[in-house]
Amino acid sequence: MEKQEQDGLLDGEFKYKKNIDGTINKRVVICTHCSKEFQFHRSNSTLKYHFNAKHAFVGAAASPGLRQTTLSERRPLGKSSLDKLTDNIAKWIAKDCRPLSIVEDKGFADVLKVASQDASYKPPARSTITIRIHELYETEKKKKEEALVHTECVALTGDHWTSLSNDNYLGVTAHLITEAWGLTSFALTIMKTEERHFAEACAEQFQTVARRWRIEEKVTTVGTDSARNMIAAARIMPFNHMPCTAHILQRCITVSLADSGFVTALAKCRKIVGHFKHSPANTAELNAEQVSLGRKQEPLAQDVPTRWNSTLEMVKRLIRNQTAVTATLDKQKHKLVLLTPPEWDKLQRLETLLEPCRYVTELLGGEAYVSCSVVLPAFCHLRRVMEVTDEDPAYVVRFKEKFKEDLASRQEHTNYAWLQIATALDPRFKDLRSVPKTDREAVWTTLAGMLHEDSPRRSHTAEEGPAKKRLSLLQMDSDSESEEEVQQDRAIQRYRAEPCTALEDCPLQWWAAHAGAHSQLARLARRYLATPASTVPCERLFSVAGHIVNKKRSALHSENVDKLVCLSNWLKDE
């Protein structure tokens, strides 16, 4: 038996070495795959080891004793692996706004079978995924509640949204600065509302959200648009109101365009863009013309009144494709009134005017960095850009003057005092160059008063007995400065003596490094710098909601909409 095994080994994978004279040397064998020589002493252990280690997958017809054992099919997944896979499917559905019904798709099941290498695997049921999503929501909600517990100040933004199924929702986002001086923002809710949007109802809705998250005493500001009902609701609520500065800027642009010489040129632009947007054949001809001119194929953009910066985008694309558009229209029969050379020049000037506004709008719409302290410097920059020059034609002069006039009137209705303090607490802008010279000292005086109100001594006075409290109040109202007031003035002076940082530096990183040296002001910085300058975070929340409540999912229950939107927002950075 042993001899047969050896002979099979030698005949199949190894062979005896031949001497020079043609005789066979049975003491040396050679591997038929790699030609390596081995000493052979009637034992094939070394030969087996070499074959299994170097040539395990060669020779399908080889002896079973010489081949490495392989499994043709993996074992079924264990319970822990199944639970982990189910949890990840639920997380993927919530994070990427996928429909729950995707687990019932046959193609999805086939993909999972291949990925898991388990032909018997079946995706979890729709009800199971629903349960896991609810559990995931509760887990992530506890994390957000813990973050809110460990902060002193929370800023909110909110707005209303109407879904595809004609249901009204209130979206609310929270913004705070962590103990490590990191700016954090996340969704609190997208709550279905059935009342009409009267001021009292809107105020009650915001306060309900604050009560549910137990942050009534921590809310500093509520950011909304400048609708009349929201402004009236802000007067009712016990929070500071922060009108959306991005909305304000866009209204200034709309009003200025309506009262300038750009109206006729923009109307022609909309007609030309519509000519191509509404006809695939016209679009194909434009694309062919772009290719023939050696330009990138680029569709034209139609402006929308509710879409910020869309007018600028329409103008920019038309200017970039002026040659292709003109050549295409020259080859077609149409009833369009084309733009004249002076009107093309108007569009060039309009692009120059609107480009700074686009930059400021995008700057104020960020939520990953401090934006509230940037409002006044940004508005100051726009006023300088809109200064009239001798080279400006009459229609540009009208646009600039109207823009500055409208911006000044709308700026009066913002929370100007809050913006001033936020600017002063930003080490990039604490020189207050964006504030009129006559108001700068008043800002520091107000800041000193806030330090006095937040001082520990003042808080202790409120807890003292009536007699001591009256004596303390008499001392506070005297003309002579107390030691505490002197220290507060020194704290302000020390902060003002610090050099301003570069514009690209992060103010929160500066405060993280200097919080110990300016401990009193650091507390105010957490309060004021957490406020966003716009309600763009809420608009982003509605964009996510629009992906979830689509035509195929318009019957989603409002509770599921709330949880899915919040989860998608909470999991976006993971």
Side-chain angles (χ1 to χ4, degrees):
M1 187 72 179
E2 182 180 355
K3 186 176 184 304
Q4 291 178 357
E5 183 178 354
Q6 291 176 5
D7 291 342
L9 173 66
L10 295 175
D11 294 341
E13 312 300 340
F14 296 87
K15 63 181 180 180
Y16 290 115
K17 182 179 179 181
K18 288 185 178 182
N19 295 323
I20 300 175
D21 56 1
T23 60
I24 296 177
N25 185 357
K26 293 190 176 183
R27 292 183 178 274
V28 180
V29 294
I30 302 174
C31 178
T32 58
H33 300 290
C34 62
S35 302
K36 187 173 182 179
E37 295 184 0
F38 297 90
Q39 294 294 325
F40 182 62
H41 303 286
R42 305 185 67 181
S43 175
N44 58 6
S45 300
T46 302
L47 307 183
K48 284 183 179 180
Y49 178 81
H50 171 77
F51 182 82
N52 290 331
K54 301 295 184 180
H55 315 294
F57 300 101
V58 178
S63 174
L66 301 178
R67 297 187 60 205
Q68 182 177 2
T69 304
T70 58
L71 295 176
S72 60
E73 191 174 310
R74 283 192 60 177
R75 294 179 180 178
L77 296 176
K79 186 177 184 304
S80 60
S81 299
L82 288 172
D83 289 341
K84 186 177 180 180
L85 184 56
T86 301
D87 290 339
N88 278 276
I89 291 173
K91 188 175 181 179
W92 167 61
I93 288 175
K95 184 177 181 178
D96 293 339
C97 306
R98 303 301 179 189
L100 296 177
S101 60
I102 197 172
V103 297
E104 299 174 350
D105 294 347
K106 188 177 183 304
F108 180 68
D110 294 339
V111 169
L112 290 180
K113 287 180 182 179
V114 174
S116 63
Q117 297 184 10
D118 183 2
S120 63
Y121 176 77
K122 293 183 179 180
R126 186 170 178 171
S127 57
T128 303
I129 294 297
T130 302
I131 294 172
R132 296 297 176 92
I133 287 178
H134 283 267
E135 293 173 352
L136 180 61
Y137 174 81
E138 295 299 330
T139 302
E140 294 296 326
K141 183 180 179 182
K142 288 180 181 179
K143 296 179 183 179
K144 303 307 177 185
E145 288 175 339
E146 186 177 355
L148 293 173
V149 167
H150 290 90
T151 189
E152 296 180 359
C153 304
V154 181
L156 303 181
T157 66
D159 201 357
H160 287 94
W161 172 71
T162 303
S163 70
L164 192 66
S165 55
N166 206 28
D167 292 324
N168 292 320
Y169 289 88
L170 171 67
V172 181
T173 61
H175 307 262
L176 55 98
I177 297 176
T178 63
E179 295 178 353
W181 289 94
L183 185 61
T184 303
S185 63
F186 51 85
L188 291 183
T189 186
I190 179 163
M191 178 178 65
K192 185 178 180 180
T193 60
E194 297 181 353
E195 305 89 354
R196 292 183 178 273
H197 296 166
F198 294 128
E200 295 79 6
C202 292
E204 180 59 30
Q205 290 163 6
F206 276 104
Q207 291 177 285
T208 299
V209 174
R211 283 193 297 269
R212 288 180 181 176
W213 288 84
R214 295 186 291 277
I215 54 174
E216 305 100 308
E217 303 300 325
K218 298 183 177 182
V219 176
T220 55
T221 59
V222 175
T224 69
D225 57 21
S226 299
R228 292 185 178 181
N229 61 332
M230 287 298 187
I231 295 176
R235 298 193 188 102
I236 302 173
M237 290 186 289
F239 316 126
N240 283 284
H241 183 225
M242 181 59 63
C244 176
T245 53
H247 278 91
I248 290 174
L249 185 55
Q250 291 306 307
R251 286 300 304 161
C252 290
I253 295 173
T254 303
V255 171
S256 302
L257 285 175
D259 192 28
S260 65
F262 297 104
V263 177
T264 304
L266 289 176
K268 290 183 178 181
C269 289
R270 296 184 184 103
K271 290 287 186 180
I272 292 172
V273 173
H275 173 77
F276 291 101
K277 297 289 285 186
H278 298 154
S279 172
N282 293 339
T283 302
E285 293 179 10
L286 175 62
N287 292 338
E289 193 66 36
Q290 290 171 335
V291 172
S292 66
L293 293 171
R295 301 189 61 85
K296 178 183 176 182
Q297 289 188 357
E298 181 182 31
L300 301 180
Q302 186 68 275
D303 69 334
V304 180
T306 57
R307 186 185 303 166
W308 300 345
N309 300 323
S310 60
T311 300
L312 173 61
E313 187 63 24
M314 178 184 69
V315 171
K316 289 172 67 174
R317 294 201 186 189
L318 271 175
I319 292 175
R320 284 199 299 266
N321 295 279
Q322 177 181 356
T323 305
V325 169
T326 304
T328 304
L329 291 176
D330 289 342
K331 299 175 183 178
Q332 295 177 345
K333 292 182 179 180
H334 56 79
K335 297 182 179 179
L336 295 174
V337 180
L338 300 183
L339 291 163
T340 61
E343 288 175 330
W344 282 109
D345 181 64
K346 281 187 177 182
L347 295 182
Q348 293 278 4
R349 293 180 179 274
L350 181 60
E351 180 184 2
T352 304
L353 289 171
L354 296 184
E355 189 62 33
C357 300
R358 179 201 61 79
Y359 168 75
V360 171
T361 302
E362 294 178 356
L363 181 66
L364 298 180
E367 58 180 313
Y369 50 84
V370 175
S371 58
C372 184
S373 59
V374 185
V375 175
L376 295 184
F379 283 178
C380 184
H381 169 70
L382 289 179
R383 283 193 292 269
R384 287 198 302 269
V385 170
M386 296 297 172
E387 289 294 335
V388 177
T389 63
D390 295 337
E391 294 79 13
D392 291 336
Y395 58 88
V396 173
V397 172
R398 288 203 306 272
F399 179 91
K400 289 183 174 180
E401 291 179 347
K402 186 62 179 179
F403 183 90
K404 291 191 294 183
E405 177 187 350
D406 195 72
L407 181 62
S409 64
R410 294 180 188 276
Q411 187 173 331
E412 294 176 357
H413 297 90
T414 61
N415 196 335
Y416 192 60
W418 188 281
L419 296 176
Q420 285 180 326
I421 298 298
T423 306
L425 291 172
D426 191 324
R428 298 171 297 177
F429 309 114
K430 65 186 184 66
D431 53 9
L432 297 180
R433 292 184 180 180
S434 57
V435 178
K437 293 182 179 180
T438 55
D439 298 341
R440 293 175 185 176
E441 286 303 321
V443 174
W444 297 114
T445 302
T446 304
L447 198 56
M450 291 179 179
L451 291 180
H452 181 61
E453 291 178 359
D454 290 344
S455 64
R457 180 177 177 181
R458 184 177 179 88
S459 302
H460 180 70
T461 302
E463 299 175 359
E464 294 176 346
K468 291 184 178 181
K469 184 175 180 180
R470 284 194 293 271
L471 292 174
S472 300
L473 290 174
L474 289 175
Q475 184 179 6
M476 289 166 56
D477 293 338
S478 63
D479 292 335
S480 61
E481 290 187 355
S482 64
E483 180 181 353
E484 180 183 355
E485 291 175 340
V486 172
Q487 291 178 352
Q488 291 164 359
D489 291 339
R490 289 176 180 173
I492 296 291
Q493 295 302 324
R494 283 200 309 271
Y495 173 68
R496 295 180 67 177
E498 295 277 2
C500 291
T501 61
L503 291 179
E504 60 271 13
D505 291 342
C506 176
L508 297 185
Q509 291 181 358
W510 188 92
W511 277 109
H514 297 79
H518 307 283
S519 56
Q520 293 176 297
L521 287 171
R523 186 177 179 182
L524 291 177
R526 288 183 188 274
R527 177 184 180 89
Y528 280 84
L529 297 183
T531 300
S534 68
T535 59
V536 174
C538 253
E539 303 291 343
R540 295 192 179 101
L541 204 63
F542 297 151
S543 296
V544 174
H547 290 300
I548 293 174
V549 189
N550 51 37
K551 291 183 179 180
K552 292 185 177 181
R553 308 174 71 190
S554 58
L556 267 177
H557 194 275
S558 58
E559 180 183 356
N560 292 333
V561 173
D562 182 22
K563 293 183 177 181
L564 289 171
V565 173
C566 288
L567 275 175
S568 180
N569 177 266
W570 296 343
L571 299 173
K572 64 183 179 181
D573 296 328
E574 294 187 6

